[in-house]
Amino acid sequence: MLTRLAGGRVIDPAHGIDGQVRDLYLRDGRIIDAPSDAGGAHSIDVSGRIVMAGAIDLHTHVGGGKVNLARLLMPEDHRGHGYERTALTRSSCGHVAPGTLAAGYRYAEMGYTACFEPAMLPINARQTHLELADTPIVDKGCYAMLGNDDFFLRLLATGESQQRINDYVGWIMDCTHAIAIKVVNPGGISAFKFNQRKLDVDQAHPYYRVTPRRILQALARAVHDLGVPHGLHVHGCNLGVPGNVDTTLATIEAAEGLPIHLTHIQFHSYGSEGDHKFSSASGRIAEAINANPNVSADVGQIMFGQTVTASGDNMAQFRNADLGSPRKSVVMDIECDAGCGVVPFRYRDQSFVNALQWAIGLEIFLSVHDPWRIFLTTDHPNGAPFTSYPHLIRLLTDHAFRDQMLQKIHPDARAASTLGSLTREYSLYEIAIMTRAGPARTLGLSDRGHLGAGAAADVVVYRDDADRERMFATPEYVFKDGELIVRDGRLVKVTCGSVHAVKPDYDRSIEAPVAEYFERFQTSSAAGFRISSDELRECGSELIVHECRGASR
Amino acid sequence: MSARGCELSRAGFARQSAPGLATALVRGVPATLDQAVDAAAKILHGAVQPLIGGLATDVAGMRAAVELADRCGAILDHANSGAKFRNLLAFQDRGAITTTLAELRNRTDLYVVIGTDVVSRFPRFFERIGAPEGTLFGLKDAERRSVFVGAKPALDAPGPPESIECAREDLPDVLAALAALTAGVKLIAARAGTVPMDRLRELAGTMHRARYGAIVWAAADLDFAHAELGVLAIGRILTALNQTTRFSGVPLGGNEADLTADAVLLWQVGLPFRTSFATGRPEYDPYLFDAQRLLAQHETDALLWLSALSDLPVPPTSRAPLILLAGPNAGAARRADVYFPVATPGIDHGGHLVRTDKVLTMHLSATRHPQLAAASQVLRAISEAIRAC
């Protein structure tokens, strides 16, 4: 079927198009140039509307073991947030840790057509993929977590070549169908198992004697050498610790110019000044991002209200467990692979710390110049559930509204923040970069995040509402792979998304030492570790493989 | 096929290998699959409060069971829920500190085992966490210790295993005392239950000195009223110990695929077992939606019982009409209103199961050609038939 979206104002930053009125043609799931048979198209008048590619969330905890633990831990959250069964949709529930059905439906209703789970433990990859397969409509992808697994740490500690490390990283990505590599508290999760409670960038691991700096370098190098489009995704050391700005700057320096992505940077941008020994260091962080073109970041904005934090960083989560609300937490060591920690949080605007965290996130958004290198996230659900994105977009695009909100927070936090003096308002073009074109480019999704001929027909049509929160909460039309799935913010069709991955080239001779390692030390086999493409299909997902950059191996 | 299995799986395989019914039954009379599907759909569609229980199945089976429950407004509960809720109530109240099998194998120098011998339910546990060829960090099997509290020590536990004898009913007292002692509270009482306090003081000291300890229990063996309070005490012990060393819980479960079925329900819907779809929105209530209670008090008028992994668990007898999906040797087939012989995951077809520590999902492959429909296929057919009702 041929569909024409007629007369909309198209915002397509990948092609430099900013609000130009033009028709868009969708056929067989793809965007095409104006065809010769355009007269026969099913035409939808979208004049006066804003047309963008489907939104892409590059960091959202939507599936895998720790998310399921968060769901299990939070029945009180689920009680008030039920999704009713309809002729079209199944019932589900949850706000801060929704079921996969609720998450897929709600993401699609908000105009998101792809979500990336950023913390897939390789040993838990199968469950992650099963969960993502049950997340309807949106496309998915996973970042495999490395840097605390004993096989990798042994390679590093015994001085194995970078080539060998690259092969291992490639093997992990292949077996688990990952699209990127993430490191969480490099070496720290492992160190916690040795009863270490803190690990700084240049502090040696208590057993392997390697430093987080060395781990970061080896992984950033591997990701680069393998040609993985997205630079190493880094959740740094000392998350949430006052004064951690120095850690974050050291992390940037450790990359030595190799591409890295600093995730939920807000949680890593703290000073330790003032009466509360907690201050904003957003200026130094933004300056560093602006000055280092190899660095990108997503913000991990917090919003006030109840949420639950779910992280691989059990060292940090154990440290923060007593700050949680309600006071309960899960801390888990996992299979010589990594760990996880789940702590519910209630961020309050009258708490100095929470209010300043809120301000710090916004300060970073407004102080980083290049929207291609900063991404809109709440680190769902750690800063806030993804359903708060429309509110966040309003905060970024509407200075007067932001000022109103600023007046409501703890007065000391307001005084300690530069937010009141930042008058920048994000344009819709910049929002489209941060939520579409940018994520697609950094992840290497060549046919997503833009509206050029050949792209997947993931298209969103918004009313141009001065209230940007309302505008982004309920798009008028959402198309996924060319099919109309949302009309006026309500689902009209439920489809299955695909899984995006990259398959870097690596030397499969790495399988012999890995198999021996599994046999000697693990409680499962290396053969069972690999998820074949057939099995992925059996799980319920189709695989889309994207190209790696010209590999330099 | 059975060489690598434990005695429980060997017995299960043997029972599944015996010739059995290959045809569906409607009130004991052989029927085609379509006839049986129609009969089952009619029962579920006509019921005021259907219940889907048993739920011993793989990921695919559970996916189909959740969809069917949503379709017909049923309540979902697993055969093992009674045991599982001893852990879950404590978990939802306070959380947990846990670890997994490979960490145990490579790191654990002290096992404190509470109220179970482990091996009756998990015959290969100590074999799996032993490391005859060495560990990642140089820990030797000879350096491991184990202390069994309130249960007979397993013969192959690290050690020789030590034992602190006490009656199972005294475990809550013993755990509460141990929680106080590990937190540094001075206790005046001379005993907890029948256990001398000095013995517990000594154990608390041993636990503090461990480098990477584990408290192991099997909720199924904590078979006394309000066992969740004992599990909460284990949580307090772990919290106290982790102030200065590393110590984790190992709540053993997963029998009859309870962890698998629970995981699927959780991820799709956001809630665990004892969830009802009756109002069109999922609702969770650990008391109201307890299958045993619903059956005993006649609050359900249709029971679909799913037992695809073996002939166990057996459906409870009740007044409610019974739809049974079970292996070809199910003893209850003749008393079911509708019976579907279903294939066994890991024998007749591939599938996925969640391991006891929740972290590993195992991919099963078929070892013989399927002659029977998979549970998921039957459940989907019933869903479709109800849609058409």
Side-chain angles (χ1 to χ4, degrees):
Chain A
M1 189 174 96
L2 180 64
T3 302
R4 173 172 56 202
L5 301 177
R9 287 165 48 207
V10 173
I11 298 182
D12 183 14
H15 297 99
I17 297 169
D18 184 8
Q20 197 181 323
V21 175
R22 52 164 63 189
D23 293 352
L24 210 62
Y25 292 91
L26 323 179
R27 174 179 269 163
D28 300 332
R30 294 276 148 183
I31 294 168
I32 57 166
D33 288 325
S36 53
D37 59 347
H42 168 64
S43 190
I44 300 173
D45 178 13
V46 295
S47 51
R49 308 294 197 257
I50 303 291
V51 181
M52 296 186 188
I56 299 168
D57 193 343
L58 96 168
H59 190 106
T60 173
H61 298 279
V62 284
K66 71 183 175 309
V67 181
N68 234 16
L69 288 171
R71 295 181 186 113
L72 190 62
L73 192 65
M74 299 294 287
E76 57 274 58
D77 168 65
H78 296 47
R79 224 159 254 147
H81 297 96
Y83 285 78
E84 205 158 3
R85 172 177 66 242
T86 68
L88 190 65
T89 58
R90 289 174 50 192
S91 63
S92 185
C93 70
H95 178 54
V96 303
T100 56
L101 298 169
Y105 298 152
R106 190 67 199 111
Y107 257 120
E109 285 173 347
M110 286 169 44
Y112 276 79
T113 51
C115 304
F116 289 84
E117 163 55 54
M120 169 176 69
L121 271 58
I123 202 79
N124 188 239
R126 201 164 255 123
Q127 177 179 343
T128 307
H129 279 294
L130 284 163
E131 292 193 29
L132 294 182
D134 282 349
T135 307
I137 306 173
V138 292
D139 288 345
K140 283 83 57 170
C142 305
Y143 311 161
M145 250 173 78
L146 289 177
N148 284 286
D149 54 312
D150 287 293
F151 187 86
F152 169 79
L153 290 170
R154 282 160 70 92
L155 287 181
L156 216 52
T158 54
E160 280 284 356
S161 68
Q162 182 68 41
Q163 184 61 55
R164 209 59 176 155
I165 290 169
N166 297 356
D167 291 336
Y168 174 62
V169 172
W171 180 78
I172 287 280
M173 294 190 79
D174 186 23
C175 289
T176 64
H177 304 290
I179 193 165
I181 293 291
K182 185 193 195 191
V183 63
V184 175
N185 189 353
I189 300 170
S190 167
F192 183 50
K193 296 170 187 173
F194 292 91
N195 202 23
Q196 181 104 2
R197 305 303 168 114
K198 191 172 193 293
L199 197 66
D200 286 320
V201 176
D202 289 310
Q203 195 178 349
H205 181 283
Y207 180 80
Y208 292 108
R209 310 314 299 171
V210 297
T211 60
R213 181 184 296 268
R214 178 78 191 93
I215 295 169
L216 283 162
Q217 285 170 343
L219 286 174
R221 169 60 63 188
V223 165
H224 176 262
D225 288 356
L226 290 166
V228 175
H230 188 50
L232 179 64
H233 202 84
V234 180
H235 157 149
C237 321
N238 291 329
L239 176 139
V241 176
N244 64 11
V245 56
D246 294 325
T247 311
T248 308
L249 296 177
T251 304
I252 292 174
E253 181 205 298
E256 294 179 349
L258 289 168
I260 58 166
H261 175 92
L262 300 173
T263 192
H264 41 67
I265 187 82
Q266 178 275 130
F267 290 108
H268 304 268
S269 302
Y270 303 151
S272 55
E273 290 157 20
D275 294 346
H276 299 270
K277 303 281 180 245
F278 181 72
S279 57
S280 169
S282 67
R284 293 172 67 196
I285 293 293
E287 199 179 307
I289 296 174
N290 289 335
N292 288 280
N294 61 312
V295 176
S296 62
D298 66 88
V299 171
Q301 177 67 34
I302 75 151
M303 296 290 186
F304 303 119
Q306 179 70 56
T307 195
V308 61
T309 64
S311 171
D313 191 349
N314 58 355
M315 179 192 260
Q317 291 292 66
F318 181 79
R319 189 168 59 222
N320 293 331
D322 284 347
L323 303 172
S325 174
R327 185 78 76 83
K328 53 183 174 183
S329 61
V330 183
V331 174
M332 190 169 179
D333 294 335
I334 299 177
E335 211 60 3
C336 300
D337 195 37
C340 79
V342 181
V343 184
F345 267 89
R346 188 173 186 84
Y347 296 114
R348 296 180 301 115
D349 58 4
Q350 292 311 308
S351 142
F352 171 80
V353 170
N354 296 165
L356 194 55
Q357 288 179 297
W358 177 84
I360 290 168
L362 294 173
E363 287 168 9
I364 295 170
F365 269 120
L366 298 168
S367 310
V368 171
H369 301 146
D370 180 2
W372 289 93
R373 291 194 287 121
I374 188 94
F375 302 96
L376 189 144
T377 68
T378 56
D379 184 19
H380 163 84
N382 295 339
F386 67 81
T387 47
S388 57
Y389 287 167
H391 180 81
L392 177 53
I393 289 173
R394 187 167 183 202
L395 287 169
L396 295 176
T397 54
D398 185 340
H399 176 227
F401 175 70
R402 189 164 69 231
D403 252 0
Q404 267 175 35
M405 294 298 114
L406 181 61
Q407 297 312 313
K408 294 183 179 178
I409 67 168
H410 193 292
D412 291 356
R414 187 164 62 241
S417 168
T418 56
L419 187 57
S421 67
L422 299 172
T423 54
R424 179 178 173 190
E425 290 184 338
Y426 268 85
S427 66
L428 288 180
Y429 188 77
E430 289 173 316
I431 293 291
I433 293 171
M434 271 203 300
T435 57
R436 278 88 173 156
R441 181 180 289 182
T442 188
L443 292 172
L445 311 173
S446 56
D447 62 347
R448 313 274 151 168
H450 70 89
L451 298 171
D458 296 351
V459 185
V460 189
V461 178
Y462 299 101
R463 286 182 198 83
D464 188 5
D465 192 330
D467 179 343
R468 297 301 193 211
E469 183 169 351
R470 195 163 52 201
M471 170 175 166
F472 280 94
T474 49
E476 192 170 5
Y477 299 95
V478 180
F479 294 85
K480 176 78 180 71
D481 296 310
E483 294 192 87
L484 180 65
I485 53 162
V486 172
R487 179 81 171 89
D488 293 324
R490 301 294 296 265
L491 289 173
V492 294
K493 186 174 174 98
V494 174
T495 59
C496 297
S498 303
V499 166
H500 296 272
V502 294
K503 296 285 170 191
D505 192 19
Y506 65 97
D507 183 346
R508 287 190 72 149
S509 70
I510 189 69
E511 291 184 339
V514 169
E516 192 206 333
Y517 166 85
F518 266 75
E519 188 60 36
R520 282 185 67 192
F521 303 119
Q522 281 287 349
T523 53
S524 55
S525 73
F529 179 81
R530 176 181 284 277
I531 304 170
S532 70
S533 305
D534 284 347
E535 190 195 338
L536 197 67
R537 211 166 293 122
E538 194 188 310
C539 291
S541 285
E542 289 298 325
L543 188 63
I544 298 175
V545 177
H546 295 272
E547 281 184 24
C548 287
R549 284 178 292 103
S552 59
R553 44 171 275 127
Chain B
M1 174 201 305
S2 57
R4 286 167 62 91
C6 67
E7 61 213 60
L8 295 181
S9 68
R10 280 196 293 273
F13 274 119
R15 290 199 300 271
Q16 292 303 82
S17 305
L21 281 167
T23 173
L25 304 176
V26 176
R27 287 178 202 83
V29 179
T32 65
L33 191 60
D34 287 349
Q35 289 167 334
V37 164
D38 278 348
K42 281 204 182 72
I43 292 172
L44 291 171
H45 184 64
V48 176
Q49 183 51 76
L51 169 66
I52 301 181
L55 299 177
T57 185
D58 63 344
V59 167
M62 190 59 191
R63 281 172 160 173
V66 180
E67 194 172 347
L68 174 61
D70 197 18
R71 169 83 51 207
C72 68
I75 291 167
L76 284 171
D77 194 13
H78 191 277
N80 289 358
S81 275
K84 192 182 155 49
F85 269 87
R86 293 166 196 153
N87 288 339
L88 186 53
L89 293 176
F91 181 91
Q92 292 187 327
D93 192 39
R94 297 298 296 179
I97 299 174
T98 61
T99 190
T100 69
L101 298 185
E103 302 289 2
L104 295 176
R105 183 173 182 182
N106 288 288
R107 298 177 187 275
T108 296
D109 50 349
L110 176 64
Y111 289 87
V112 177
V113 185
I114 308 290
T116 179
D117 70 353
V118 179
V119 291
S120 298
R121 293 179 190 277
F122 306 93
R124 294 183 65 200
F125 177 79
F126 289 111
E127 176 197 328
R128 294 287 295 281
I129 51 94
E133 292 182 60
T135 57
L136 278 168
F137 317 110
L139 177 74
K140 295 184 176 58
D141 277 358
E143 295 168 308
R144 302 180 203 256
R145 294 178 60 184
S146 60
V147 182
F148 284 71
V149 183
K152 201 173 128 208
L155 292 176
D156 61 347
E162 298 160 38
S163 171
I164 297 180
E165 286 180 27
C166 79
R168 200 155 281 187
E169 304 73 59
D170 285 341
L171 280 173
D173 283 348
V174 170
L175 290 168
L178 199 54
L181 293 169
T182 48
V185 176
K186 289 199 165 53
L187 294 179
I188 300 166
R191 294 175 176 280
T194 53
V195 182
M197 203 60 78
D198 282 344
R199 182 70 187 92
L200 292 180
R201 252 180 223 114
E202 185 197 336
L203 177 61
T206 306
M207 292 170 90
H208 270 294
R209 286 189 298 277
R211 279 172 302 174
Y212 193 92
I215 301 184
V216 180
W217 72 98
D221 285 325
L222 301 184
D223 191 10
F224 46 82
H226 297 295
E228 69 272 15
L229 299 178
V231 179
L232 277 171
I234 292 174
R236 291 201 303 277
I237 296 168
L238 294 171
T239 301
L241 292 168
N242 278 289
Q243 303 310 310
T244 54
T245 186
R246 294 305 319 278
F247 225 104
S248 298
V250 182
L252 294 171
N255 298 99
E256 285 81 39
D258 51 8
L259 294 175
T260 303
D262 204 33
V264 174
L265 179 57
L266 257 177
W267 81 54
Q268 289 199 345
V269 174
L271 294 170
F273 295 136
R274 299 192 178 167
T275 283
S276 166
F277 292 86
T279 65
R281 288 170 201 264
E283 288 180 73
Y284 160 68
D285 192 310
Y287 173 75
L288 279 181
F289 307 137
D290 170 356
Q292 271 193 356
R293 195 196 67 80
L294 288 161
L295 288 164
Q297 300 188 8
H298 314 301
E299 289 180 19
T300 176
D301 53 354
L303 170 62
L304 185 149
W305 188 264
L306 176 53
S307 182
L309 291 176
S310 73
D311 47 346
L312 300 172
V314 173
T317 50
S318 78
R319 281 191 217 159
L322 173 66
I323 301 160
L324 178 65
L325 278 71
N329 301 298
R334 300 275 170 195
R335 72 173 158 92
D337 293 77
V338 184
Y339 165 69
F340 297 91
V342 291
T344 309
I347 299 180
D348 302 311
H349 60 81
H352 292 99
L353 286 179
V354 176
R355 194 174 78 174
T356 186
D357 54 12
K358 286 193 182 181
V359 76
L360 200 79
T361 301
M362 296 172 295
H363 185 223
L364 314 173
S365 50
T367 56
R368 70 183 184 199
H369 294 298
Q371 294 161 341
L372 301 169
S376 57
Q377 294 168 314
V378 173
L379 293 166
R380 288 244 153 74
I382 298 174
S383 278
E384 282 308 305
I386 291 176
R387 191 205 280 268
C389 275

